């Protein structure tokens, strides 16, 4: 008796939000969210979290080191809405207030393997000189009202941003049963394909 065919493929991602290099930032913490399409179901793990606060290392590389673990499993039948990791980095200003230091977003890799990703950070700029002056006076720089905004396609073409450093992320990705749904994940390159008869 044969096993029934699975009704979804599975993506397992483990790794860590390792470190960041942000100009003029001595201490910071990161909030992260994994954003996926409607067809994607969370099977295990946390879709969002917050790291501990870190101070810039005293070494020559001047990194903020978090080494915050990631561990998540998704199931889906459609690759549309492939999961994205969205990172928001916050630091303290001179008055001890949390202010945005940068946003970053990247799709999880689509092929099984180990990846070292560099998320370029950016932060929004005020739309006018008056808003720039008002945010300087209040100590509250421009930020997105929805922290998942970097993962959306709509509205980004009119957003003015400035570069704000980068975050280093390590991802180990495993994919299971994708070929049964018509997707090649690259893990079977160079091997004979198996024909499944229904």
């Amino acid at each position: 008796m044969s096993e029934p065919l699975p009704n979804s493929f599975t993506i397992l991602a483990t790794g860590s939000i390792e470190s960041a290099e942000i100009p003029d930032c001595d201490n910071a913490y990161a909030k992260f969210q994994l954003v996926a399409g409607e067809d994607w179901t969370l099977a295990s793990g946390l879709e969002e979290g917050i790291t501990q606060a870190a101070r810039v290392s005293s070494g020559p590389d001047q990194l903020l080191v978090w080494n915050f673990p990631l561990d998540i499993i998704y199931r889906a039948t459609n690759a549309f809405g492939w999961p994205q990791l969205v990172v928001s980095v916050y630091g303290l200003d001179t008055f001890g207030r949390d202010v945005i230091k940068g946003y970053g977003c990247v799709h999880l890799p689509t092929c099984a393997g180990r990846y070292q990703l560099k998320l370029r950070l950016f932060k929004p700029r005020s739309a006018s000189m008056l808003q720039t002056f008002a945010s300087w006076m209040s100590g509250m720089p421009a930020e997105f009202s929805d922290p998942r905004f970097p993962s959306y396609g709509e509205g980004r073409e009119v957003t003015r941003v400035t570069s704000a450093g980068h975050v280093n992320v390590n991802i180990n990705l495993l994919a299971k049963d994708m070929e049964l749904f018509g997707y090649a994940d690259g893990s079977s390159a160079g091997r004979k394909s198996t024909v499944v008869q229904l």
Side-chain angles (χ1 to χ4, degrees), residues 126 128-142:
S126 298
S128 69
M129 292 299 289
L130 180 60
Q131 286 178 338
T132 302
F133 180 72
S135 68
W136 178 76
M137 289 294 289
S138 66
M140 297 301 294

Side-chain angles (χ1 to χ4, degrees), residues 17 19-20 22 28-35 46-54 66 68-70 84-92 97-106 119 121 140 143-150 167 169:
I17 300 174
S19 61
I22 303 169
Y29 64 92
K31 293 181 180 179
F32 73 90
Q33 291 183 318
L34 283 143
V35 179
L46 298 174
E47 282 188 299
E48 60 184 58
I50 185 169
T51 69
Q52 73 278 6
W66 295 302
F68 192 82
L70 298 173
Q84 298 179 64
L85 174 65
V86 180
V87 176
S88 308
V89 179
Y90 291 86
L92 298 176
R97 296 176 293 201
D98 287 344
V99 293
I100 190 69
K101 295 296 182 179
Y103 296 95
C105 180
V106 67
L119 277 74
L121 294 177
M140 297 301 294
E143 64 181 275
F144 298 132
S145 59
D146 182 358
R148 295 174 297 176
F149 180 75
V167 171
V169 177

Side-chain angles (χ1 to χ4, degrees), residues 42-85:
L42 178 66
S44 177
L46 298 174
E47 282 188 299
E48 60 184 58
I50 185 169
T51 69
Q52 73 278 6
R55 294 191 69 76
V56 171
S57 61
S58 59
D61 51 6
Q62 299 291 299
L63 292 176
L64 294 154
V65 179
W66 295 302
N67 288 326
F68 192 82
L70 298 173
D71 187 1
I72 196 156
I73 300 174
Y74 278 110
R75 289 196 174 96
T77 57
N78 186 350
F80 181 76
W82 194 269
Q84 298 179 64
L85 174 65

Side-chain angles (χ1 to χ4, degrees), residues 9-25:
F9 62 83
T10 304
I11 299 295
L12 164 67
T14 63
S16 64
I17 300 174
E18 192 173 79
S19 61
E21 188 173 349
I22 303 169
D24 302 323
C25 181

